[in-house]
Structures are given as C-alpha cells and as structure tokens.
Amino acid sequence: MESVGLDAYVGFMHTDRPGRTSLALDLMEELRAIYADRFVITLINNRVIKPDDFDEKENGVTFLSDSGRRRFLQEWQERKREAIVHPFLEEKIVWGLVPYVQSLLLVRTIRGDLDEYPAFLWK
C-alpha cells in the first residue's frame, strides 16, 4: 500500500491501533472470500490438501504439517501466477496483483479520478 501512496495503518473500517495495518485489513475484506476462502476450499475439494496434511497436538489443536504447509504455499504461488481479466479494468493481470491494483483504484478514488471505488466483483 505504501507503494501507491497509502498509509497501511490508517483504515476506513478497521479501528486504528498501534502496529495494526488497518487499511490492509480493509482491502482484504472485499477479497477474502474469492482470494483466500475459495482457494482453500478448492484445495480441500480437489484433495490437494488431505487429512494427513494436518497434525494434532495433545491439547486438540490442529495445524498444517510441514509437508502440508509446503504443498499449500506451492499451490498459492502457482495461483498467484494465474492470469485473469480484471472485471473493472478489463485487462489481463495475474491473481497476485489484484490487491495492488485495488489499492491503485482506491487511490484514484480518493484523489477524485474515479467517482466511486470499483469493488472487485468476481464470479
């Protein structure tokens, strides 16, 4: 966010707190369902991440094993390289640039170049 001239610590929806990047949290709100949740559900549904990729501690806490974490991060890196057509810009970009592009659009809205912020609406 700093690369587009925004202060990541000053948010619109999340309360400003010392050390908390409130604006980054704000921008992820619109992307969480398609960017993170859908990705994780796809990994589980396609059996990329399986029950044996998790470890359980004695106290019942469950977490990704080292091999599961490596597989997850490998899949995430591949996903970020996939090309999509941005719904507002109608230009081809990679998934990994979506947060950056939305930050740029937010800056353009704040500066008055755009009448309203174009939320990232994905099918």
Side-chain angles (χ1 to χ4, degrees), residues 1-6 12 23-32 34-35 84-91 93-111 114 116-122:
M1 263 168 260
E2 287 89 0
S3 64
V4 298
L6 296 173
F12 295 99
L23 184 56
L25 297 172
D26 288 353
L27 285 172
M28 278 311 296
E29 283 296 326
E30 76 172 302
L31 300 176
R32 185 183 61 223
I34 53 149
Y35 207 67
I84 63 164
V85 175
H86 191 280
F88 176 75
L89 300 176
E90 297 179 351
E91 293 181 16
I93 63 170
V94 293
W95 266 113
L97 285 180
V98 170
Y100 176 74
V101 170
Q102 291 306 113
S103 297
L104 285 172
L105 292 172
L106 178 61
V107 166
R108 292 184 64 197
T109 304
I110 292 170
R111 291 184 181 151
L114 295 173
E116 60 183 34
Y117 174 72
F120 187 82
L121 301 174
W122 192 249

Side-chain angles (χ1 to χ4, degrees), residues 6-19:
L6 296 173
D7 185 345
Y9 294 91
V10 179
F12 295 99
M13 297 184 299
H14 289 83
T15 305
D16 295 342
R17 291 187 189 152

Side-chain angles (χ1 to χ4, degrees), residues 39-77:
F39 173 70
V40 171
I41 290 169
T42 299
L43 290 181
I44 293 168
N45 286 344
N46 291 339
R47 293 180 174 80
V48 174
I49 298 293
K50 303 172 187 151
D52 60 342
D53 288 318
F54 293 90
D55 291 330
E56 187 173 340
K57 290 194 172 200
E58 293 174 9
N59 62 3
V61 174
T62 303
F63 57 95
L64 275 172
S65 64
D66 288 340
S67 62
R69 195 169 21 264
R70 276 192 295 278
R71 185 173 301 111
F72 177 88
L73 292 173
Q74 179 182 358
E75 292 291 328
W76 179 244
Q77 292 302 323

